[in-house]
């Protein structure tokens, strides 16, 4: 497994690793169990109907150089976080994330975002990172704010947050 970051919370080991096809079953099971909640904020959740759909997404991400990471509890996937809409000219990218309802509210996503931010600034030479959270998605907005992202503007239905490399 290609581990990018590790952190410990309440004596549990968590980390980020490049998502791999063998993770499809566990990731799909989370999506299936949390579909109703995920679909409120993430339209793709309604269209993910099988393990094969998840495996296809992982292959697509790899083929199109989308930096998608599994959030792990030990070796078990519990969510995902990614960099997308990467602009190599302006050194900007957006961060997207979701987490199993079973693991929310424990600081896992905050630590995952912090780890990805550090990686993006230091290894991908990004200068600015953006999080677009639906205005009504208070937990996601809280993660962005707690991780040091600054509210920039509203673009219905999103609240746009940004973090500068040296800001």
């Amino acid at each position: 497994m290609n581990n990018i970051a590790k952190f410990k919370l309440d004596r549990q080991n968590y980390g980020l690793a490049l998502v791999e096809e063998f993770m499809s079953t566990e990731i799909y099971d989370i999506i299936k169990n949390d579909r109703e909640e995920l679909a409120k904020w993430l339209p793709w959740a309604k269209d993910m109907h099988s393990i094969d759909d998840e495996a296809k997404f992982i292959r697509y991400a790899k083929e199109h150089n989308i930096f998608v990471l599994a959030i792990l509890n030990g070796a078990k996937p519990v969510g995902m976080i990614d960099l997308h809409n990467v602009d190599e000219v302006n050194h900007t990218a957006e961060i997207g994330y979701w987490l199993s309802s079973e693991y929310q509210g424990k600081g896992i996503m905050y630590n995952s975002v912090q780890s990805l931010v550090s990686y993006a600034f230091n290894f991908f030479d990004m200068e600015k990172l953006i999080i677009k959270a639906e205005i009504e998605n208070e937990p996601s907005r809280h993660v962005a704010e707690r991780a040091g992202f600054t509210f920039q503007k509203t673009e219905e239905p999103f609240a746009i947050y940004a973090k500068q490399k040296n800001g």
Side-chain angles (χ1 to χ4, degrees):
M1 220 175 312
N2 293 311
N3 290 321
I4 303 301
K6 293 179 182 179
F7 52 94
K8 198 170 202 147
L9 294 168
D10 295 326
R11 295 184 293 210
Q12 292 287 318
N13 292 314
Y14 294 95
L16 303 179
L18 290 173
V19 71
E20 300 289 347
E21 233 178 293
F22 72 83
M23 299 173 180
S24 298
T25 300
E26 290 174 296
I27 293 170
Y28 175 71
D29 286 345
I30 298 167
I31 294 167
K32 184 173 68 176
N33 291 336
D34 288 349
R35 186 182 318 279
E36 189 174 320
E37 185 62 24
L38 287 171
K40 287 180 190 176
W41 319 114
L42 304 166
W44 56 260
K46 292 180 278 219
D47 301 324
M48 191 70 61
H49 297 292
S50 68
I51 295 165
D52 190 52
D53 286 345
E54 182 59 34
K56 285 178 188 172
F57 166 74
I58 293 169
R59 283 192 302 272
Y60 175 87
K62 286 184 177 288
E63 290 165 5
H64 292 87
N65 294 318
I66 301 170
F67 192 66
V68 181
L69 302 172
I71 301 168
L72 304 173
N73 176 5
K76 176 186 173 185
V78 296
M80 295 174 83
I81 189 166
D82 70 80
L83 287 178
H84 59 276
N85 292 338
V86 175
D87 180 337
E88 293 178 11
V89 174
N90 294 309
H91 300 273
T92 63
E94 292 179 28
I95 295 176
Y97 47 81
W98 64 268
L99 189 64
S100 165
S101 59
E102 182 181 343
Y103 291 88
Q104 293 176 12
K106 300 178 181 191
I108 297 165
M109 191 55 74
Y110 163 77
N111 280 279
S112 296
V113 169
Q114 291 290 72
S115 296
L116 182 57
V117 165
S118 176
Y119 200 84
F121 285 158
N122 293 310
F123 293 98
F124 291 143
D125 200 29
M126 292 291 121
E127 293 293 328
K128 179 179 179 182
L129 297 171
I130 297 163
I131 293 175
K132 291 183 177 180
E134 290 224 13
I135 294 166
E136 302 297 319
N137 190 344
E138 291 293 331
S140 185
R141 293 181 65 186
H142 179 73
V143 166
E145 291 165 2
R146 187 167 174 231
F149 282 71
T150 305
F151 175 77
Q152 302 292 300
K153 62 184 174 180
T154 300
E155 285 180 7
E156 288 290 338
F158 300 105
I160 312 296
Y161 293 86
K163 186 169 190 169
Q164 299 285 340
K165 184 175 191 173
N166 296 315

